[in-house]
Amino acid sequence: MTTLNILAAGSLRAAWPDVVAAFTSLSGIAVNTDFDPAGMLRQRIEAGEPCDFFASANRLHPEALLQQGRAIEVGLFAANSLCLTVKRDIVTQDDDWLALLCRDDLRLATSTPLSDPSGDYTWQLFDNIEQRHPGLGSMLKAKARTLVGGPDCVTVPSGKLAAQWLIEQHHADMFIGYASYAPRLRGCPQLEVLDIPAPYNMQAEYGWACCSEAARPFAAFLSSVTAQTILHQHGFQSTV
């Protein structure tokens, strides 16, 4: 039986088993998935690692593979945005998301730009803040500690959310990450999750690259009602 070798962005880790199980049930095609930050996965593919299908948290990585001739087709399959998670007992009545980011006494953690799209989107968020509040976005870039999503970052234990673990282990007081994690994070009594409003927030566009003919059925399945429903149940938004 054919087994597809898929490389998928780490933020898909919770949703992916359900997506794959539904696909295999319908098609009879087995899937093996390896997760890592999408920027690092792209580097692995460019270095020659075998891959049938690449699911990225940034559409630019699949498009780059297409331009290089390493993919035969690309598309979009989900969207995401950012949120701010903070230690609940540090939030005062007057704090909103931006006030918290500005507090000098709080340590801010993020993912790593270039290696992880979450870091790229966070830096774009800082640029959006800079446009509306000159000097503030640059300050946040200098303040942010890129603790996850890079080759030399701390290792978050399997099954733990980065925001939850970093705050619980006192590596940070707040973390900017994907809003798809918000429902699970809001279930942690010691944490508070704040939405980042649309004028500042980014839309993360999740793209795929079909790197072999064998993966075309899976690419088509990601657009199906079944796959989209599963992704929505895990906090992702539609690209339509």
Side-chain angles (χ1 to χ4, degrees):
M1 184 171 68
T2 300
T3 299
L4 297 180
N5 180 32
I6 293 181
L7 299 181
S11 55
L12 293 165
R13 193 183 300 268
W16 210 245
D18 292 342
V19 171
V20 165
F23 170 73
T24 299
S25 177
L26 288 170
S27 68
I29 300 173
V31 171
N32 178 59
T33 304
D34 189 14
F35 297 96
D36 222 352
M40 297 173 66
L41 292 176
R42 171 185 164 183
Q43 293 174 3
R44 287 164 56 180
I45 296 170
E46 289 173 336
E49 181 170 334
C51 173
D52 295 305
F53 191 88
F54 172 39
S56 170
N58 185 331
R59 67 182 299 171
L60 298 180
H61 293 316
E63 290 173 357
L65 296 179
L66 182 66
Q67 293 173 2
Q68 296 168 18
R70 298 181 184 274
I72 57 177
E73 186 180 1
V74 298
L76 299 178
F77 68 96
N80 212 335
S81 58
L82 298 174
C83 67
L84 176 67
T85 303
V86 299
K87 190 179 178 185
R88 185 179 296 278
D89 61 12
I90 66 174
V91 182
T92 70
Q93 187 175 0
D94 297 328
D95 283 329
D96 63 11
W97 71 278
L98 191 56
L100 285 163
L101 287 178
C102 294
R103 279 178 51 180
D104 292 335
D105 60 319
L106 302 183
R107 297 165 299 163
L108 171 64
T110 73
S111 195
T112 306
L114 300 181
S115 293
D116 186 0
S118 177
D120 297 330
Y121 295 127
T122 300
W123 253 241
Q124 291 174 46
L125 167 67
F126 294 156
D127 289 338
N128 289 346
I129 294 173
E130 180 72 18
Q131 290 178 5
R132 293 165 175 80
H133 310 279
L136 182 53
S138 298
M139 181 273 287
L140 291 172
K141 287 182 180 180
K143 173 181 179 174
R145 303 174 67 201
T146 54
L147 297 185
V148 294
D152 301 313
C153 291
V154 298
T155 300
V156 178
S158 177
K160 284 284 189 178
L161 298 176
Q164 176 188 4
W165 187 80
L166 290 172
I167 292 172
E168 285 179 348
Q169 298 301 312
H170 309 292
H171 292 290
D173 303 300
M174 50 187 176
F175 181 82
I176 297 175
Y178 286 127
S180 57
Y181 294 125
R184 293 171 62 191
L185 290 167
R186 287 191 169 107
C188 303
Q190 75 277 22
L191 301 178
E192 184 163 339
V193 181
L194 290 86
D195 296 326
I196 298 173
Y200 296 90
N201 211 334
M202 302 299 305
Q203 184 180 59
E205 294 183 310
Y206 280 58
W208 53 261
C210 192
C211 301
S212 75
E213 290 290 340
R216 285 193 186 274
F218 187 79
F221 175 74
L222 280 184
S223 298
S224 69
V225 172
T226 299
Q228 289 296 307
T229 298
I230 293 169
L231 290 166
H232 180 72
Q233 290 170 344
H234 285 274
F236 292 92
Q237 306 154 23
S238 172
T239 57
V240 179

